[in-house]
Amino acid sequence: RIQSAICQLFRESLYSQGFTEIHTPKLIAGESESGAGVFTTDYFGTTACLAQSPQLYKQMAISCDIDRVFEIAPVFRAEKSHTRRHLCEFTGLDLEMSINDHYSEALEVIHNMFKHIFNGLEDRWSKELSIIREQYASEPVTFTDEPCLLHWPEAMEILREKGFDMGDGMGDLTGAQELALGEAVKEKYGADFFMLDKYPSVIRPFYTMPDPEDDRFSNSYDIFIRGQEICSGAQRCHDPDLVLELLEQRGIEASEGSLKAYIDSFRHGISPHAGAGIGLERVVFLYLGLDNVRKASLFPRDPNRITP
């Protein structure tokens, strides 16, 4: 019921902010997310993949002059991650929107959407929450009125002060580092919910827009609840020639299949845009203070479970 409530509130907020719901293919010709494992299957003699995200299709919708889009749909990740926060199939809450000047416009929309979810759960699903909290103790997620946004250098400084060896500051965060950062944000800003931007380009997908002032970093962001990531997003690269350059740097072939159609869609004109992908089960898991994300899924799928 809390899953259903979050989906309802997600839709309510985005409809009120001018979004259109879309439905994208889950059988696709190639990987949609670099760095994430992919399930493959036979497709009438050729190999098809189960979509790791609707990313490329969300962006192609923007190129069709649908300025703001969202989707609620399954996401598949063939990753042997035996952790309490990973699933091989989960429900993605995805959004994409054109922007005028800066990706902060998308962060404002996302922040307003999460505020609507958090307030809506406490106000309209208080009975269900009280029942769950008898078994799994949790408090309402605390959040700031305006987006609580940290930049990557600030996060590195906080974590070094907490005793972590961050090296050159260009590697991804570990789970322990995320939790420590969450504790620091809670202490400094009084918020369980916060955003971190300007991730190093090398650890983000090829379609991420580099920071125009320093291309070692990117116009990307992650969003956290209680020190754990629930959402990843970025301004996307909308220049087809730059996309080709970024693909070449990573050794990814762009001449065939879905990537060719994706890049070609930009050549006909596309607005600058940004978006995010949110894991529904992870939001439920962290909001309710559960001890395992599997308890937030009706029929969880992990490397050891494909039934019932």
Side-chain angles (χ1 to χ4, degrees), residues 219-232:
N219 289 356
S220 63
Y221 38 85
D222 279 359
I223 300 175
F224 299 82
I225 290 179
R226 309 191 205 275
Q228 296 192 64
E229 180 240 319
I230 56 161
C231 170
S232 187

Side-chain angles (χ1 to χ4, degrees), residues 19-142:
F19 281 73
T20 299
E21 185 168 7
I22 61 171
H23 306 282
T24 63
K26 303 307 160 210
L27 278 172
I28 61 176
E31 297 183 25
S32 47
E33 292 285 339
S34 56
V38 62
F39 290 106
T40 59
T41 186
D42 177 71
Y43 191 74
F44 304 105
T46 63
T47 300
C49 302
L50 293 181
Q52 300 148 301
S53 87
Q55 183 56 50
L56 307 186
Y57 296 97
K58 289 190 299 177
Q59 293 182 252
M60 292 169 76
I62 300 294
S63 77
C64 297
D65 205 26
I66 311 175
D67 286 339
R68 295 184 168 198
V69 299
F70 76 88
E71 179 173 29
I72 300 177
V75 172
F76 303 92
R77 301 286 172 90
E79 298 172 343
K80 286 192 174 182
S81 297
H82 300 275
T83 75
R84 69 190 191 100
R85 62 177 191 166
H86 285 93
L87 293 169
C88 293
E89 178 184 352
F90 62 90
T91 302
L93 308 178
D94 276 89
L95 63 96
E96 203 77 21
M97 57 178 279
S98 61
I99 57 176
N100 294 317
D101 298 309
H102 195 271
Y103 64 85
S104 60
E105 297 162 38
L107 294 180
E108 288 279 354
V109 166
I110 295 165
H111 184 72
N112 289 336
M113 179 267 293
F114 271 110
K115 283 170 59 178
H116 184 71
I117 289 174
F118 299 153
N119 288 328
L121 286 174
E122 297 297 332
D123 294 342
R124 294 156 58 184
W125 280 271
S126 57
K127 178 181 177 182
E128 288 80 359
L129 289 175
S130 67
I131 293 169
I132 294 166
R133 285 168 174 162
E134 288 179 5
Q135 183 172 0
Y136 297 98
S138 70
E139 296 293 328
V141 165
T142 57

Side-chain angles (χ1 to χ4, degrees), residues 22 31 55 77 95 108 144 209 234 241 268 281 283 304:
I22 61 171
E31 297 183 25
Q55 183 56 50
R77 301 286 172 90
L95 63 96
E108 288 279 354
T144 52
M209 180 66 81
D241 294 326
H268 303 295
E281 289 83 355
V283 174
N304 298 320

